[in-house]
Amino acid sequence: MEISSQSTVIEPSTSMNPYPGLRPFNMDEHHLFFGREDQSGEVVEKLWQNHFVSIVGNSGIGKSSFVYCGAIPTLLNTYGGEQEWILLNYRFGDQPVWGLAEMLMPYMKPVGIYETVEELERHMLDDKAFLSSVLLELQSATNKKILLFIDQFEELFRYQLNLQDQAYQFIQMLLHTLQQPQPPLYTILTIRSDFIGDCAQFPALTKEVNKSQFLIPQMTRNERRRAIEEPLKFIGVKVSSDLVDKVLEHMGEKGDHLPIMQHAMMRTFDHWQFVNQGQGQISMKHYLAIGTMEHAMSLHANEVYNGLDEHGKKVCQGLFKTITEKRGEGRGVRKPSSIQEIALVLNEAEEQVIKVVEVFRKPGTTLLMPSSDQEIKIDTMIDISHESLMRIWEMLRIWVEEEAESVKMYLRLAEAAEMHQKGSSGLWLPPDLDLAINWRKRQAPTMAWGLRYHSAFERSMLFLEYSEQEYERVQQLKEKQQKRRLWIARIVAAVLLLGIVIALMFLFYAEQQRRIAAVKSLEAETQRDAAQVSAELAEQSAQKADSAMVVAQFQAQIAVEQSELAREQQKVAEENGRQAQLAEQLAIDQGEKAYRLRLLSVARSMTIKSRQISDSTTQALVALQAYNFFQQNGGKLFDPDIYNGLYYGLKRLKKEAYNDLLGHQFNVRSICAERADNTLYSAASDGKIIRWENNTPELIFDSPQMVHQTMDLSADGRYLLVGGAYEFILLFDLKHSEQVPVSVPFENKESWMIKVGNHSQLASVLTATGEVFKFDLKSKTVESIYKEEHKINTLAMHPFKPVVYFGNVNGHVKCLDLHSGQIEDLFEIKTAAITLAIDPIGERLACGSEHGVVYLYNLQAKKLTSEFRGHKSRVNNLNFSPKSKYLASGSFDRTVRIWDLVNINDQPVILDDHKDWVWSISFSGDGRYLLAGCKDNLIRKWPIKIPDMAMELNRLLTRNLEEQEWQTYVADDIPYQKTRGINNDEMEELNRGDTSRISPSVVDETPLDLADK
């Protein structure tokens, strides 16, 4: 915005509230700002002399209000004169450089310096000196001084300050500008005093802060009295002296109570106006009614919160947890976030989040920023009005603590998952597992929430899920074993009971025999004493014979029952033996499964260890052995860890630059591969076009004054179209390579992207201004076919239909039928669409966004099916493999990622051996390699087939791991095996697609790279 040096006079009115509440004073409220009038001149003098001043003070001391209503108005009145100023009021967002470019664009575009935010941001990221030069150009074109006000500078330190972060690049640009002999801008920044030590990360920044610093003092009691009374006097309202004294008493000598006082007085004024209809003076009763300074803010916030419905309350809690954070040493800090990011974190509709935000920022509330006079969009940054809200509102303090505890649990889980992957830790067991499961149920973490604190969200949640499943499996096995023991005990008890019955029967039989013997003895005595009773003895003998027959029958019955019992006992013994065998086999199977899982975990750990080994041969052997373990134990061969282990092992053995193709001197902006063979073409900013065959360069065109930006091959491989920062298109006839290329006029246009269709001799050309043209290869003519209000960033052509797909800066992706001219809206993403790619069979469309997200759209079902997250910056280029099994993405974050489109939830392979941005990527014609053109002037060529890399290592290595190395890098208790030559036959068969002799565990997990052959 442009700020006039003239003051704006506001007529006194009892209808307006003179206190802003928690938010800072705005510039148009400087007439209501009192208490620091004498301090502004010193700040302005420092700023004018040094072009820089830092305002340092405690939270709540009034730094922002002082700048808006003290320093800036004084600067404009003192040094404005007839000249006007350009004021850039800046707050750090998720993309600091983008935010600065967006703020500058309204001043750049009218004077014809730059047309788009994307273009300006790209140049800023490319060269830290660019900001200084473009501000000089703006200053010259507008004849205005430029003031950059960076509020809440401490928010910078919530970023990870490494070379890939825009925050780091922003500071480097700012410092370079400030270090110029005559800096083209004046800079004011405010920073909390407890963060001043963090500036030491930037020695040059520390020097600037020390050179021109203003430590804002606490207000005296008289100054605080003026801050209370004077705004009311200005609008003609009286206030009782006892109320003012009470407020001063409650403020005490603490310098951080100014926003709390402003909020309490705002509430007091509103209550007085509501109760007294603006009549009479504001008195103590009105102040006590709102809860005084001690409780007014908490009561007010609770009042707003309780006015929400149940769902709104849930969104409110998540919203405040997202935009606040508890740092080390218990420091509460703000964490401004966009509506889009908050909605993703909460898994809520953006409209629902906006609805809650509106309630908390309406006039008279002002607990959230921006203020109610600014329209909220999905990219609007939401912030609390002041840090004091985190201290005073009890409910928010509880939420912040809950969030901090939740983050601690998540980070513990992420660390445990990483340790488990390295093989140095096991799965979780109770009580840790129970705590984590309860946390997951209570928190319901989303991927967007997890990625704010640790990048391995999916790995962490899979680790928790697998820990839970493994614990449940072990518990189920224990229950089965317990039931089996109980069943066996019951059988044993039954057998013992049967034995007791049999013993009792034998006892009864013995007693019978004893009685018979007594009878026989009595009979003998009777025979000796009375021979005369022989007749009676004969009768007794007959009875004896009858008794013997009964005994014999009884003994026979016992023998039958004993035989039957023996058969039953034999069956029981056989069943016990069978159950024991089953339990033994189950234990063996579970042991083998656990051992295989352990070997897979050990293999992943070995790949990570391998990259830390200094000896190249040992590194390659460890990586190859990890691959062998994966192949032998059913692991997926297209595994990111296995790939990286083999790739970096191969790279060390064959030297670092073995896959670097060197032929250009500047950015390699575009590459494309022949479909029929492995011939590659590359074009760069150095004006060269090179044909590569078997990694050997052949220069086919060289014009140093030309900057090539795009090219593509016709489907039959005959024509090569090249465009760039020049007013024509180069057309090469590759069947007559000796001929000079045809220059097809393209007046006043700069070719940004060229795509050739497979269906006919037609191509689409996108210009730097976002206009789409049709190029006829037969007639060699160019015709404009489409242009819209919003700049088009990218396009793609359907492989079989005369259809062009394109995406614009607002995230809209559409298609255009070249025959009918009909336009169809396909889908919309939340930020600018940067690049498009369509798969070779015409079923799926991929879209790369400004924020690093890759979207996958099904053209038949007409819906978005997947989102791939991981890139930290803009996705520049996308390319499908020839059989549509993989999708590769290249980004400004200096990485290339390969996404498995069949196993859609698998982690991607990340290729990160770049020193700068990735401009262009392409699979080779046979799909065995992926190539990338980079800003560091190189083309890198990566093998895709993992068995190929393993076999190459087999051929290069001349020894196996020694036993001592095995114990160091594998394990003591895993049997030693030779590394070289292991499963070479199987690898050969995998490469040929023959899996007839490969173990079922490997066949079931046929890797995607084999299916892509």
Side-chain angles (χ1 to χ4, degrees), residues 52 54 56 153 189 191 196 199 204-214:
F52 174 85
S54 59
V56 182
F153 189 80
L189 62 84
I191 182 171
I196 198 71
C199 294
L205 177 62
T206 305
K207 181 179 179 181
E208 293 293 335
V209 170
N210 290 336
K211 181 172 68 174
S212 184
Q213 178 184 146
F214 181 77

Side-chain angles (χ1 to χ4, degrees), residues 664 666-669 683-688 703-704 706-709:
H664 292 286
F666 294 105
N667 299 353
V668 182
R669 296 296 296 271
S685 301
D686 57 6
K688 292 181 180 180
S703 179
M706 297 173 64
V707 176
H708 305 305
Q709 297 180 152

Side-chain angles (χ1 to χ4, degrees), residues 464-480:
L464 176 57
E465 182 180 350
Y466 188 66
S467 296
E468 182 180 14
Q469 292 174 352
E470 183 64 13
Y471 178 71
E472 290 177 352
R473 185 190 66 79
V474 171
Q475 292 302 111
Q476 290 173 358
L477 183 60
K478 288 181 178 179
E479 290 178 5
K480 289 181 180 179

Side-chain angles (χ1 to χ4, degrees), residues 257-276:
H257 278 185
L258 282 174
I260 304 173
M261 179 274 287
Q262 291 285 351
H263 178 269
M265 291 304 298
M266 177 192 74
R267 293 284 287 168
T268 302
F269 182 91
D270 286 342
H271 181 70
W272 166 78
Q273 200 168 45
F274 176 76
V275 174
N276 289 29

Side-chain angles (χ1 to χ4, degrees), residues 638 643 647 658-659 661 671 673 678 680 695 877-882 886-890 895-899 909-911 913-914 918 920-933 939-945 1012:
F638 197 72
Y643 181 97
Y647 169 66
Y658 97 96
N659 63 331
L661 305 183
I671 57 177
N678 285 326
L680 175 74
N695 300 342
N877 203 249
L878 296 167
N879 194 247
F880 285 90
S881 62
Y886 299 126
L887 174 64
S889 57
T895 69
V896 172
R897 296 173 186 248
I898 307 174
W899 310 89
V909 169
I910 302 176
L911 307 171
D913 50 345
H914 310 279
V918 179
S920 52
I921 54 177
S922 177
F923 283 93
S924 61
D926 59 5
R928 299 183 73 87
Y929 297 95
L930 177 65
L931 303 106
I939 299 173
R940 287 184 174 82
K941 184 178 181 180
W942 297 279
I944 297 299
K945 310 296 180 182
D1012 206 25

Side-chain angles (χ1 to χ4, degrees), residues 524-756:
E525 290 177 1
T526 303
Q527 287 176 352
R528 286 193 302 267
D529 294 339
Q532 66 271 18
V533 291
S534 55
E536 295 178 4
L537 288 174
E539 185 178 354
Q540 290 178 1
S541 296
Q543 292 177 355
K544 180 180 178 182
D546 292 339
S547 299
M549 183 178 296
V550 171
V551 169
Q553 290 175 349
F554 180 70
Q555 288 176 336
Q557 182 66 30
I558 289 175
V560 171
E561 291 177 352
Q562 287 178 334
S563 176
E564 186 67 28
L565 177 62
R567 284 196 296 270
E568 290 295 329
Q569 289 175 331
Q570 182 178 0
K571 289 181 182 180
V572 171
E574 290 174 352
E575 177 63 23
N576 289 342
R578 190 176 69 83
Q579 292 294 333
Q581 289 176 351
L582 289 175
E584 182 181 2
Q585 186 61 43
L586 178 62
I588 291 172
D589 292 344
Q590 294 295 336
E592 289 177 352
K593 180 180 179 182
Y595 185 66
R596 287 197 303 272
L597 291 173
R598 184 197 170 198
L599 287 180
L600 294 178
S601 179
V602 168
R604 284 199 174 92
S605 176
M606 289 169 63
T607 62
I608 297 171
K609 291 178 183 176
S610 70
R611 295 185 63 177
Q612 303 168 1
I613 299 173
S614 58
D615 180 67
S616 58
T617 300
T618 307
Q619 175 184 352
L621 282 167
V622 171
L624 183 58
Q625 184 58 53
Y627 165 80
N628 292 339
F629 281 152
F630 245 65
Q631 187 196 56
Q632 294 162 1
N633 294 280
K636 292 183 179 180
L637 293 186
F638 197 72
D639 179 89
D641 294 326
I642 298 300
Y643 181 97
N644 284 330
L646 292 174
Y647 169 66
Y648 285 104
L650 193 60
K651 190 168 183 176
R652 284 285 303 282
L653 278 183
K654 300 184 75 171
K655 307 307 178 185
E656 284 292 326
Y658 97 96
N659 63 331
D660 292 347
L661 305 183
L662 181 59
H664 292 286
Q665 280 74 49
F666 294 105
N667 299 353
V668 182
R669 296 296 296 271
S670 185
I671 57 177
C672 56
E674 278 269 20
R675 294 173 176 85
D677 56 32
N678 285 326
T679 302
L680 175 74
Y681 294 88
S682 61
S685 301
D686 57 6
K688 292 181 180 180
I689 300 174
I690 298 177
R691 176 193 289 118
W692 302 82
E693 291 187 4
N694 298 322
N695 300 342
T696 302
E698 176 191 354
L699 186 65
I700 64 173
F701 185 83
D702 188 9
S703 179
Q705 72 275 15
M706 297 173 64
V707 176
H708 305 305
Q709 297 180 152
T710 180
M711 69 177 177
D712 199 12
L713 281 163
S714 61
D716 57 8
R718 177 171 179 177
Y719 295 106
L720 177 68
L721 280 73
V722 184
Y726 37 83
E727 297 176 358
F728 51 86
I729 296 173
L730 292 174
L731 177 61
F732 293 81
D733 188 340
L734 300 178
K735 286 191 176 181
H736 302 88
S737 56
E738 71 282 355
Q739 295 181 0
V740 176
V742 176
S743 297
V744 180
F746 199 39
E747 296 182 0
N748 301 320
K749 304 294 180 183
E750 177 182 339
S751 304
W752 188 252
M753 185 171 292
I754 295 176
K755 293 295 179 182
V756 183

